[in-house]
Amino acid sequence: MNGDVELRKSVFGMPLPDCLVGSIKDHSWVNLAHSPMIETVFGQAPLRAVFHSIPVMVGMTKWWREELDDELLRCYFGTPDERAGPGYISRMKTVIIGNLGPDLPFALDYRESPVDPDVVFLGEVGSWRMIAGSVHDLMCALDPQRLQS
């Protein structure tokens, strides 16, 4: 693959944050799956963490938007939780950016801002939780040395 190929910068019309596109381009995004901070940040031990490439984000988001049957969709929408937002999630305002393991997706949540999405995670307890106010905050939490550069 040509390293000069321009990366897609949006998924289903939702712009990907520049820091995410840059991190994917320099391959540091994929390496965050091996961060020793992952359990602390997500509040759960990873089973097989994967931080997606943009083509996989597109495929996973398409699956999430268009292909889930009703039973699976109920699971992926999440359940309400007064202790942690957002609880439920919108299929049309999210981009799946990775998985902590099978059925443990994390996503950009564009409901509050079309350009600065929160990062949310669907853990084993069955409700989506905000884990970072931005993808930049997520990357800094998983790789504290990023703050120094």
Side-chain angles (χ1 to χ4, degrees):
M1 182 167 144
N2 184 346
D4 296 328
V5 171
E6 186 67 25
L7 285 177
R8 177 184 199 148
K9 295 188 177 172
S10 69
V11 174
F12 291 100
M14 292 173 280
L16 297 174
D18 289 340
C19 63
L20 176 59
V21 173
S23 183
I24 290 168
K25 196 172 190 174
D26 72 15
H27 305 286
S28 60
W29 175 248
V30 176
N31 294 333
L32 291 174
H34 307 292
S35 168
M37 300 300 296
I38 205 163
E39 185 171 356
T40 301
V41 171
F42 284 85
Q44 176 172 329
L47 300 174
R48 285 189 308 272
V50 178
F51 286 57
H52 297 320
S53 65
I54 294 174
V56 175
M57 288 178 193
V58 171
M60 291 299 296
T61 302
K62 180 180 181 355
W63 170 80
W64 161 234
R65 285 176 152 224
E66 301 172 2
E67 299 173 19
L68 285 177
D69 64 38
D70 288 341
E71 184 179 341
L72 277 174
L73 188 56
R74 280 192 296 277
C75 295
Y76 278 96
F77 268 143
T79 56
D81 187 342
E82 286 98 33
R83 296 167 288 150
Y88 291 115
I89 199 82
S90 167
R91 289 191 298 168
M92 299 305 161
K93 299 255 186 198
T94 52
V95 172
I96 307 266
I97 60 173
N99 291 308
L100 211 58
D103 299 323
L104 299 171
F106 55 101
L108 297 175
D109 180 2
Y110 289 85
R111 290 179 298 166
E112 297 295 319
S113 171
V115 294
D116 191 24
D118 295 328
V119 181
V120 295
F121 169 59
L122 180 64
E124 290 176 339
V125 291
S127 62
W128 287 91
R129 296 182 287 111
M130 186 172 88
I131 57 168
S134 70
V135 75
H136 180 262
D137 291 347
L138 173 66
M139 290 189 292
C140 289
L142 291 170
D143 181 8
Q145 291 185 347
R146 257 183 207 276
L147 292 172
Q148 298 168 2
S149 52

